[in-house]
Amino acid sequence: MSSTPARVRIAPSPTGDPHVGTAYVALFNRTLARQTGGQFLLRIDDTDRSRYQASSEQKIFDALRWLGLDWDEGPDLGGPCAPYRQSERNAIYQQKVDHLLESGNAYRCFCSAETLAEVREKQKQDKLRLGYPGTCRDLDAVESSQRAAKEEPHVIRLRVPVEGETCFVDQIRGEIRIANCEIDDQVLIKTDGFPTYHLANVVDDIEFGITHVIRAEEWLISTPKHVLIYQALEHPLPGFFHVPLLRNADHSKISKRKNPVSLDWFREQGYLKEAILNFLALMGWSPPDGQEVFDLDRFQQEFNIEKISTGAPVFDLVKLDWLNGMHIRKMDPDQLLQRIDEEGFLPQGVSPQQAAAVLPLVVERMVRLAEFEPRTTWFFNLPEPPTPEDLVPRKGSPEQSLEALQATSALLKSDLPFQAEAVNEALDAMLAEKQWKKPLLFMPLRFALTSRSDSPDLIEVMMVLGRDNVIDRIDRAIAILECST
RNA sequence: GGCCCCAUCGUCUAGUCAGGUCCAGGACAUCAGGUUUUCAUCCUGAGAACAGGGGUUCGAAUCCCCUUGGGGUCACCA
């Protein structure tokens, strides 16, 4: 495990709902920072003004904090490198790009976006390599300055060497080499004066003292451009770690068309943050001891960034469901109840005290917190009455169900103590005496009490409902059967 | 299409860097049993993979090459 403090960052773009991929990358970044006693920074990458959504930034903060992936420096927290919003750092990019212009590592390009689009079309038709044709690359310096002074619209491009190759080491994949002729003269500053990701990202990583760049694999191919910018700025390279991209079932890059990707969605469904983090950690990494259910603390102890696998993990909700159930059952009852409350899954008008009574009966059955309400409505409200068909089990008959329910009703109306053990024994005795099979009594009883085909243990259901309710519901079922025969 | 990355059960993966202990281990899912008043939990068991072909080697899932397949990327988006 690395012992030098890592300064790492994530740089989400405020263009929509908080993305599960952001949490995935944040998890690895933050964990490395915590392991090494370094810092985890949050930088808002809002240089694309056309896709910018004002509400998005706060949603990203909220989602990440909800997951427990808190940061040490960021737009809302401030820090020694403020500001942490790229749109507020334009002066710095300008200054750096002037430097690049002077050193000849960058040049102005006056080609219009339309012209370039046409060129690209032509290249596509002729099956040529797609890329900038280099029109303005060798423009006279004086002319270039004059045209810029006259405010002629232009972008600033990186001057990529024509020959040679650029290489770097990805700490997960090994050495990557790419011929420079394959690298386009990347736009550094757009016509609107804002930097592109490539420039802003490198300048900020240098300014922020970032030591490890941990990001998604989709950036791997543009890393040589970044390397060239680092070199032009005469700054040593950080460590690069490209983690695999989360995938749809068809193995394409995860997308909202084919998968739920909004962290808000997972929260609304009642997924626990513990389960989400656990699941994400398992995408590309596996615990040395094989124990797959774990929390953030243990992940921090065991995780090794260099052991992330290179394969492409399919995002499979089925396993998340299993993990969610495991974490629900691992949590202590008070904590779970509090969580259900906090996350807004307590049914309308129900107090935590009331919920505490039924919770133990349904924990073993809950996969997502949102199931709490449907699984417990029978307790908080009188359910819709069961149908006569509901009350007759497959191998039973209306007469048998009626007799069983009537006998149970009578038993409960007697002076029998209304306690789990006593009721259980009395029902067993009744079953034995009448020589009835258990399901013939319990299935009608289940529907009488809960109006569902699946429910918790019926003795427990009765105890929690109370004698009067139980008798009322059984009698209601008796009436239904009597009417139908 | 060019370039780059990747390749073990349906899915997540261990094993690959330091070749033999792997006729490949675990987990989810599936199926079959057990416990049981239903569902679930829990327990037991089963089926299920080294993409293909060449090398190197006494020996290859592990190293090399080719093929195939998948993905990413080729924006004045990130």
Side-chain angles (χ1 to χ4, degrees), chain A residues 1-12:
Chain A
M1 210 164 289
S2 173
S3 55
T4 52
R7 245 177 107 71
V8 294
R9 102 284 123 138
I10 54 164

Side-chain angles (χ1 to χ4, degrees), chain A residues 142-195:
Chain A
V142 179
E143 183 195 337
S144 171
S145 303
Q146 283 173 347
R147 288 170 74 175
K150 278 189 276 180
E151 295 188 5
E152 185 176 337
H154 63 275
V155 301
I156 295 172
R157 288 182 184 272
L158 179 68
R159 189 189 304 275
V160 176
V162 183
E163 296 188 332
E165 59 180 12
T166 297
C167 68
F168 66 96
V169 175
D170 180 279
Q171 304 293 331
I172 294 172
R173 286 152 216 277
E175 190 180 61
I176 311 283
R177 329 178 66 96
I178 293 183
N180 288 335
C181 62
E182 297 291 341
I183 306 173
D184 219 18
D185 279 3
Q186 180 61 47
V187 169
L188 264 19
I189 300 277
K190 300 178 269 188
T191 310
D192 65 5
F194 281 92

Side-chain angles (χ1 to χ4, degrees), chain A residues 110-385:
Chain A
F110 297 90
C111 300
S112 73
E114 295 73 42
T115 310
L116 262 18
E118 281 168 29
V119 170
R120 209 172 303 123
E121 269 314 302
K122 188 84 170 36
Q123 288 171 333
K124 222 177 260 181
Q125 271 176 23
D126 300 347
K127 296 190 173 167
L128 292 169
R129 206 183 72 75
L130 271 37
Y132 179 65
T135 320
C136 303
R137 194 176 154 105
D138 297 314
L139 223 53
D140 178 70
V142 179
E143 183 195 337
S144 171
S145 303
Q146 283 173 347
R147 288 170 74 175
K150 278 189 276 180
E151 295 188 5
E152 185 176 337
H154 63 275
V155 301
I156 295 172
R157 288 182 184 272
L158 179 68
R159 189 189 304 275
V160 176
V162 183
E163 296 188 332
E165 59 180 12
T166 297
C167 68
F168 66 96
V169 175
D170 180 279
Q171 304 293 331
I172 294 172
R173 286 152 216 277
E175 190 180 61
I176 311 283
R177 329 178 66 96
I178 293 183
N180 288 335
C181 62
E182 297 291 341
I183 306 173
D184 219 18
D185 279 3
Q186 180 61 47
V187 169
L188 264 19
I189 300 277
K190 300 178 269 188
T191 310
D192 65 5
F194 281 92
T196 56
Y197 168 85
H198 306 282
L199 204 229
N201 152 66
V202 172
V203 168
D204 286 344
D205 284 350
I206 291 173
E207 296 283 311
F208 291 4
I210 298 302
T211 57
H212 301 63
V213 172
I214 304 166
R215 61 181 14 162
E217 191 186 349
E218 57 189 327
W219 295 110
L220 187 67
I221 197 73
S222 48
T223 304
K225 291 174 183 174
H226 305 165
V227 170
L228 257 13
I229 300 174
Y230 275 102
Q231 288 170 353
L233 257 17
E234 297 175 313
H235 197 276
L237 263 30
F240 289 108
F241 300 74
H242 289 92
V243 303
L245 235 30
L246 264 16
R247 308 299 183 120
N248 295 314
D250 64 5
H251 295 100
S252 56
K253 166 162 119 176
I254 196 166
S255 63
K256 63 179 170 188
R257 279 279 138 252
K258 297 174 181 175
N259 247 311
V261 293
S262 164
L263 291 171
D264 293 344
W265 181 86
F266 290 92
R267 190 174 186 180
E268 286 157 14
Q269 291 298 308
Y271 287 102
L272 260 28
K273 63 181 182 182
E274 290 85 348
I276 296 173
L277 258 18
N278 191 163
F279 177 62
L280 255 17
L282 251 16
M283 303 264 92
W285 179 82
S286 71
D289 63 0
Q291 184 45 252
E292 292 190 334
V293 183
F294 52 79
D295 58 21
L296 242 195
D297 281 346
R298 222 177 64 75
F299 180 59
Q300 245 161 64
Q301 287 164 22
E302 306 287 346
F303 179 63
N304 178 349
I305 182 104
E306 294 185 7
K307 284 271 166 69
I308 290 186
S309 63
T310 45
V314 171
F315 194 82
D316 180 14
L317 269 327
V318 176
K319 189 147 185 178
L320 208 213
D321 279 344
W322 170 73
L323 277 171
N324 210 53
M326 294 304 279
H327 281 279
I328 283 176
R329 266 157 246 131
K330 251 180 79 176
M331 219 177 258
D332 77 63
D334 291 342
Q335 217 186 334
L336 179 59
L337 181 65
Q338 193 190 337
R339 190 67 72 82
I340 290 173
D341 190 8
E342 281 170 5
E343 296 294 320
F345 291 109
L346 232 41
Q348 278 283 313
V350 170
S351 72
Q353 290 69 30
Q354 289 173 292
V358 255
L359 186 55
L361 311 206
V362 295
V363 261
E364 276 171 11
R365 279 156 262 258
M366 272 206 292
V367 172
R368 290 164 296 127
L369 260 28
E371 291 168 22
F372 182 73
E373 162 138 43
R375 285 190 183 281
T376 57
T377 38
W378 55 266
F379 176 70
F380 298 111
N381 310 99
L382 180 65
E384 286 294 302

